[in-house]
Amino acid sequence: MKKFTSVADIGNIQQAVAEALKVKADRFAFKEFGKDKTLLMLFFNSSLRTRLSTQKAAMNLGMNVMVLDVNQGAWKLETERGVVMDGDKAEHLLEAIPVMASYCDLIGVRSFAGLVNKEDDYNEKVLSQFIKYSGRPVFSMEAATGHPLQAFADIITIEEHKTKQRPKVVLTWAPHPRALPQAVPNSFAQWSVAAGYDVVITHPEGYELAPEFTAGATIEYNQEKAFEGADFIYAKNWSAFADPNYGKILSTDRSWTVDTAKMALTDNAFFMHCLPVRRNMIVTDDVIESPRSLVIPEAANREISAQTVIKRMLEGLK
């Protein structure tokens, strides 16, 4: 595997999950794969689970790991071609990328959407340049339009807890005080459909996601109707995708918060969220603290999804 940016890169999902569960059963069985190999993790944005889980995954595989916070521990980087660099950016990404690549074998990149220019975001301006110019296998640690490591961990978690072959999985929008990217819901919807689940996406009108990510899912604007008979509830906020409101907050309606009354409409569903979560906006305390909450095992599986992806990339180097 030369790159990992979407569900298309993972191949057969059931085979990938089986491999992930094998990794989970013995995290150190493949540590020879990474011997004398170096992973460079580049963070253009903040991180907790992604940073720790990916670093741990690489260490499980015997790798050396370098971590760079681009906006704090390096020169400010220019990403546009043709600009006169007379401002506060001292280095261009086109020189920085091959230099960084010369020090490592694999590269992980985390770069969020700017939520200003949809074309730049959906062309993955930063991530695509690393793939094009580094000459190294590159994986996304969350990009402008997707978070495949999170979605892979979500699918592993659902597969571990489902009680029927084709569970009903509901992705629900919930209120948030800030404008958030569409990356997590995009990936969760796309991966869940690819996994063969009965996927329902519920949100207020105006919050429709890009159709390439939601193809195969049912869109339901009535949240309570969407919850009926659900086996898994995945709550997440996102800002508007469609023009002219791209990146904007259209609603902070607290009636969309996931609470006990809404969960009672489900078929004793599990609750999921990628974390960090705004309690009593996204979800109430009693729901996230309930025995049916999977947020901690879901987060723990981030190590497993990352390790499976890195393992495959290391196999490709042989």
Side-chain angles (χ1 to χ4, degrees), residues 78-132:
E78 178 59 65
T79 60
E80 300 287 347
R81 295 185 78 254
V83 300
V84 176
M85 292 177 57
D86 58 355
D88 63 344
K89 296 177 180 177
E91 186 161 10
H92 202 286
L93 202 60
L94 292 178
E95 285 79 60
I97 289 173
V99 168
M100 291 186 285
S102 71
Y103 304 141
C104 65
D105 301 283
L106 305 180
I107 300 175
V109 180
R110 184 173 177 90
S111 179
F112 291 175
L115 296 180
V116 175
N117 186 314
K118 183 164 74 173
E119 183 178 0
D120 282 351
D121 287 345
Y122 275 73
N123 286 332
E124 293 289 3
K125 184 171 65 173
V126 174
L127 180 64
S128 63
Q129 290 189 73
F130 277 91
I131 293 170
K132 184 175 182 179

Side-chain angles (χ1 to χ4, degrees), residues 54-173:
T54 308
Q55 186 167 355
K56 179 64 163 59
M59 292 165 63
N60 292 349
L61 291 165
M63 297 191 77
N64 302 309
V65 182
M66 300 188 296
V67 180
L68 179 62
D69 289 300
V70 175
N71 294 324
Q72 297 179 6
W75 301 110
K76 289 187 177 180
L77 295 176
E78 178 59 65
T79 60
E80 300 287 347
R81 295 185 78 254
V83 300
V84 176
M85 292 177 57
D86 58 355
D88 63 344
K89 296 177 180 177
E91 186 161 10
H92 202 286
L93 202 60
L94 292 178
E95 285 79 60
I97 289 173
V99 168
M100 291 186 285
S102 71
Y103 304 141
C104 65
D105 301 283
L106 305 180
I107 300 175
V109 180
R110 184 173 177 90
S111 179
F112 291 175
L115 296 180
V116 175
N117 186 314
K118 183 164 74 173
E119 183 178 0
D120 282 351
D121 287 345
Y122 275 73
N123 286 332
E124 293 289 3
K125 184 171 65 173
V126 174
L127 180 64
S128 63
Q129 290 189 73
F130 277 91
I131 293 170
K132 184 175 182 179
Y133 297 115
S134 70
R136 299 284 189 246
V138 174
F139 63 92
S140 168
M141 299 192 298
E142 187 171 359
T145 64
H147 196 348
L149 287 178
Q150 178 66 54
F152 188 13
D154 296 334
I155 299 303
I156 294 168
T157 306
I158 291 173
E159 289 295 307
E160 288 179 313
H161 291 86
K162 72 180 187 180
T163 58
K164 60 184 70 168
Q165 185 62 32
R166 189 170 187 257
K168 180 178 178 180
V169 177
V170 176
L171 169 63
T172 180
W173 179 93

